[in-house]
């Protein structure tokens, strides 16, 4: 029988870190709780971050829509401005051309009178024809013919008479031709007009009547 060594008692085994087993169990439980709580906290943070990103995205979309509308409005205003400038440019050009050609009308009238009297000959004829050609290239058009109905928007009546052979107010003589540029009249045609005779009934076609033939249908028998 062996003798026990005095002064020495058996001690429970202690873990290497010096922590008793009873203390290690609560520590492990707390660690597991923290690990369980960590995913829940991360999920809430991610959700809040997603919500913030969606709000920023909505703000960006709203701002983009506003800027797009502003750009479209500016583009429409610019197009209207360009059309307005082009209209004004054309109008100014037409006014300038009409003003120039209006100053040339007396000269064109002299050329027309010289042509009617057979005086448009030689070098004067060549110059006159060149001037008329240049005026035509600039858009000047002459109008007014004898026999056409009188139109107060393009004709100016200087003489008036009655005629039995007209059924409406008619231009019977062109005293001065009219001129226009495109649809714009720069001088009406100055004309002499004739109206139907007062109280004269309009001519109507007489109805043709069939006269009986003089042929003997029932000739008497001879002999």
């Amino acid at each position: 029988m062996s003798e026990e060594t005095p002064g020495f008692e058996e001690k429970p085994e202690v873990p290497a870190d010096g922590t008793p087993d009873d203390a290690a169990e609560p520590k492990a439980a707390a660690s597991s709780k923290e690990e369980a709580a960590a995913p829940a906290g991360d999920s809430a943070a991610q959700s809040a971050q997603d919500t913030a990103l969606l709000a920023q995205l909505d703000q960006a979309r709203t701002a983009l829509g506003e800027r797009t509308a502003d750009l479209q409005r500016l583009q429409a205003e610019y197009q209207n401005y360009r059309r307005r400038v082009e209209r004004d440019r054309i109008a100014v050009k037409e006014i300038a051309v009409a003003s120039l050609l209006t100053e040339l009308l007396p000269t064109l009238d002299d050329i027309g009178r010289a042509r009617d009297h057979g005086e448009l000959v030689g070098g004067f004829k060549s110059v006159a024809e060149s001037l008329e050609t240049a005026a035509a290239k600039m858009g000047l058009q002459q109008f007014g013919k004898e026999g056409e109905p009188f139109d107060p928007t393009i004709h100016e009546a200087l003489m008036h008479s009655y005629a039995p052979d007209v059924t409406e107010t008619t231009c019977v003589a062109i005293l001065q031709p009219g001129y226009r540029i495109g649809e714009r009249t720069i001088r009406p045609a100055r004309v002499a007009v004739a109206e139907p005779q007062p109280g004269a009934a309009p001519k109507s076609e007489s109805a043709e009547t069939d006269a009986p033939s003089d042929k003997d249908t029932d000739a008497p028998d001879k002999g």
Side-chain angles (χ1 to χ4, degrees), residues 8 13 62 79 94 104 125 127 179 199 203 205 219 221:
F8 289 94
E13 296 182 358
T62 302
Q79 293 297 333
E94 290 179 350
L104 291 177
K125 178 181 180 181
V127 173
Y179 289 96
K203 296 180 180 180
E205 297 180 356
D221 295 338

Side-chain angles (χ1 to χ4, degrees), residues 72-90:
Q72 292 174 347
R73 183 170 58 255
L74 288 175
Q75 186 175 8
E77 291 177 356
Y78 177 67
Q79 293 297 333
N80 292 334
Y81 169 76
R82 287 188 58 185
R83 284 192 290 267
R84 205 161 47 242
V85 169
E86 184 65 16
R87 279 198 310 268
D88 293 344
R89 187 185 67 82
I90 295 174

Side-chain angles (χ1 to χ4, degrees), residues 36-85:
D42 292 344
S43 177
Q46 185 66 33
S47 177
Q49 186 177 5
D50 292 344
T51 302
L53 290 175
L54 289 175
Q56 292 178 0
L57 181 59
D58 290 339
Q59 292 178 356
R61 287 175 177 172
T62 302
L64 178 61
E66 293 175 353
R67 299 300 178 271
T68 302
D70 292 341
L71 181 60
Q72 292 174 347
R73 183 170 58 255
L74 288 175
Q75 186 175 8
E77 291 177 356
Y78 177 67
Q79 293 297 333
N80 292 334
Y81 169 76
R82 287 188 58 185
R83 284 192 290 267
R84 205 161 47 242
V85 169

Side-chain angles (χ1 to χ4, degrees), residues 143-217:
F143 66 91
K145 294 181 180 179
E146 294 182 5
E148 63 185 7
F150 175 76
D151 185 351
T153 61
I154 60 174
H155 297 136
E156 181 181 353
L158 300 182
M159 299 177 65
H160 178 270
S161 62
Y162 295 97
D165 56 344
V166 297
T167 58
E168 60 180 342
T169 304
T170 305
C171 301
V172 294
I174 306 299
L175 306 179
Q176 276 186 335
Y179 289 96
R180 66 165 64 97
I181 300 175
E183 299 297 326
R184 179 181 179 182
T185 301
I186 62 175
R187 190 182 77 180
R190 292 164 181 169
V191 299
V193 298
E195 291 183 347
Q197 290 285 356
K203 296 180 180 180
S204 59
E205 297 180 356
S206 58
E208 296 182 357
T209 56
D210 296 330
S213 61
D214 294 331
K215 295 181 180 179
D216 295 330
T217 56

Side-chain angles (χ1 to χ4, degrees), residues 13-27:
E13 296 182 358
V14 179
D17 58 354
T19 304
D21 292 340
D22 294 339
E25 290 179 359
K27 184 176 181 180

